Amino acid sequence: MDLTGLTLRVAAARPHVLLAAVPGGAAVRLAAERLLRTRDWPQVSTPAQADLLLVAGPDLPELRTPLERLWRDMPAPRARVHARTADEVEDALNAGRVLLGSPAVRHESAAPPADAGGHREGEHGAQDTEAEHGDGRRAPDGQDADGQAPDSQDADDHADHGDHGDHGGHGGHDGHSGGQTEMPGGLPMAGQGADRDGLMLDQLHVPLGPFLADWPAGLTVRLVLQGDVVQRVDVDEPARPSDDAAAEAFWVQPWLRAASGEPVPVGEAVRRRAAAHLDSLGRLLAVAGWPAEAVRARRLRDDLLYGAPRAAVAPRLEHLARRVGRSRTLAWLTRGIGVVTAQKAREAGVGGPAARAGGDVTSRYRQWLADIRHDLPRLEDPAPLDVAVEDSPRGPWRAEHPPSAALIALLPRLLEGAELAAARLVVASLDPDPDELVSRGVVEVARG
C-alpha cells in the first residue's frame, strides 16, 4: 500500500491551514478565515498541526526569516502559498491544495529529515523561495470550532507558541539574549538573575509573536521570565512593508477616508467599529479557551462586514452578549489582571474602550459588548462621519498618533509582574492593531 500517497490525498482533500497574517494584511486574514469556514477546512494554531501555510498580506522583508522558521517547523507533506490581497485568497488556497497532491510534495515527504539548519542531506540550496507562485507553502492562524467553556491558560503552551514566532534574528539571539545560552537547534537555556526578593533564580527569555495564533499581526513582545512570572518586557518595532507594498489599515479605513475629505456615512464607520470589536472579542475568547463562542463572534463580525441588516444580526448578537457578558467562568479567569484605571489610561494617551472600561480584562471585554450594542441601531445612519466625534475602534483617531501606538506602549507596564498565562489575556484585551502604525495610508494622512 502506498501510505505516502494516501497521506497526500487526505491532506489535499481537506488541508489543515496555518494562517500567518502580517501587518497590513487584516483584510486578507478576514477573507481567508471566512473562506476556510465556508470550505470546512480546519484552521490550526501551530505548525505541527498544519499541512498548508497561508501567508496573508504584503511582503515584509523583516518577517521573511520568522516565516521560514515557521515553514521549517511544519511536518511533511506540506505546502506554502501567499495571498497579498483579499482577492487572491481563493486562488491561493486552491493552489495550495493542488500543491499538496503534487509529485514535488510526495518527493519531499520521502526525503531525509532536515537538519537543524533546515537543509536536507544532499541539498545545497533553499527551497520554496517564491511562495506567491505556488511552490509549496502555508500560513498560520487557526482555531477549533468545538469546546464548551473557558479553561485556564497553559503557560507551557503559550511559551511554545511564542517560540514559533520568535525569529528574524531578534528573539533571544543576536545580542538580545541577556546572557542566555542556547542549546543546539536554537533552544534557549535559562540564565540567572535576582527576583523581587533578591534571590538568584533562573531567567528564561521568551518571545511572543510575530506569528502567534490569536495575536496582533506582526507584533513581537519579548519577555524575561522567572518561573511563570514576567520580570521584564520589551516590544519590538512593528515590521514595515517595502516601498512598493500596499499595507492597508483595514479597521480605520472609514476614518482615513473621512480625514482625507471623502464623505463617509456614520453607519459605515460604526459597522466597521462593531465588527472590529467582535474580531477582538473572538481573539480574547480563543485565548481564554472558549473556541465555540469565538467562532460565533467571528461569524457575526463577517456578517456585519458583508452588510447584514440590523434585524439579521441583533438577536444573535444579544445572545452572544448575554452568554459572554454573564459568564462567571470567563469573569473569574480574567478578573483583576491587566488593570488600567481611567487615570492611568489618560496618562498613557489611551482612549476608546480601554479607557472607558477603566478596569481589568473583564471590564474591557464587557465594554466591547456595550459598545457593540450601542452601535447596532446606527448601522444605517446616513449622516457624514466626523472623525473628531466618532472614535475609531481603538480610540480617538489621530493619524499622527494612532491609538494603537499608545496601547502598545502600555504593554510593558501591564505585563511586568504578571503570570505568563495572564499576559496573553492582557494583550488580547487591548488588541492593538499594528496595521495602524505601518499602513501607507496612515502615513500619508499624517504627513498632510
Side-chain angles (χ1 to χ4, degrees), residues 7 11 15-19 42-53 67-79 100 138-142 157 160-165 167 211-213:
T7 302
H16 289 61
V17 181
L18 181 63
L19 179 59
Q43 190 179 344
V44 300
S45 57
T46 67
Q49 300 169 302
D51 16 70
L52 178 63
L53 174 64
L67 280 172
E68 286 304 317
R69 180 163 179 174
L70 200 68
W71 168 244
R72 290 198 304 268
D73 286 345
M74 290 172 51
R78 59 182 182 171
L100 279 174
R138 290 192 189 191
D141 198 358
D157 181 59
D160 180 59
H161 291 184
D163 183 59
H164 297 150
H167 341 334
F211 297 116
L212 183 61

Side-chain angles (χ1 to χ4, degrees), residues 277 321 364-376:
H277 291 337
R364 289 195 284 278
Y365 73 71
R366 287 176 174 169
Q367 185 65 51
W368 286 334
L369 294 170
D371 288 355
I372 295 168
R373 281 169 159 160
H374 177 264
D375 282 338
L376 201 57

Side-chain angles (χ1 to χ4, degrees), residues 83-252:
R84 289 180 170 80
T85 67
D87 293 338
E88 297 176 4
V89 169
E90 186 169 10
D91 288 343
L93 290 176
N94 291 339
R97 183 164 60 179
V98 171
L99 285 166
L100 279 174
S102 69
V105 173
R106 180 188 295 267
H107 175 73
E108 182 188 21
S109 301
D115 61 21
H119 300 103
R120 303 185 184 278
E121 293 179 16
E123 180 178 82
H124 302 288
Q127 60 185 46
D128 300 322
T129 57
E130 294 292 329
E132 67 276 16
H133 295 302
D135 9 316
R137 303 194 178 184
R138 290 192 189 191
D141 198 358
Q143 182 128 345
D144 240 339
D146 39 359
Q148 299 303 318
D151 298 321
S152 61
Q153 293 294 328
D154 184 341
D156 292 336
D157 181 59
H158 295 317
D160 180 59
H161 291 184
D163 183 59
H164 297 150
D166 168 9
H167 341 334
H170 296 301
H173 315 307
D174 297 338
H176 295 285
S177 62
Q180 179 183 7
T181 58
E182 292 181 8
M183 296 172 64
L187 298 176
M189 294 180 64
Q192 284 194 331
D195 75 345
R196 291 170 292 188
D197 299 320
L199 302 175
M200 294 299 293
L201 299 177
D202 286 345
Q203 291 181 325
L204 184 64
H205 295 246
V206 177
L208 299 179
F211 297 116
L212 183 61
D214 302 302
W215 181 261
L219 180 68
T220 301
V221 177
R222 306 190 180 281
L223 309 179
V224 178
L225 300 177
Q226 288 187 317
D228 63 348
V229 177
V230 178
Q231 185 185 55
R232 192 176 74 244
V233 180
D234 295 303
V235 181
D236 287 2
E237 287 289 326
R240 297 185 179 276
S242 55
D243 293 339
D244 59 346
E248 296 290 344
F250 176 80
W251 296 115
V252 295

Side-chain angles (χ1 to χ4, degrees), residues 426-440:
V426 171
V427 174
S429 71
L430 293 174
D431 198 25
D433 182 13
D435 291 16
E436 293 181 4
L437 282 63
V438 304
S439 168
R440 186 168 58 185

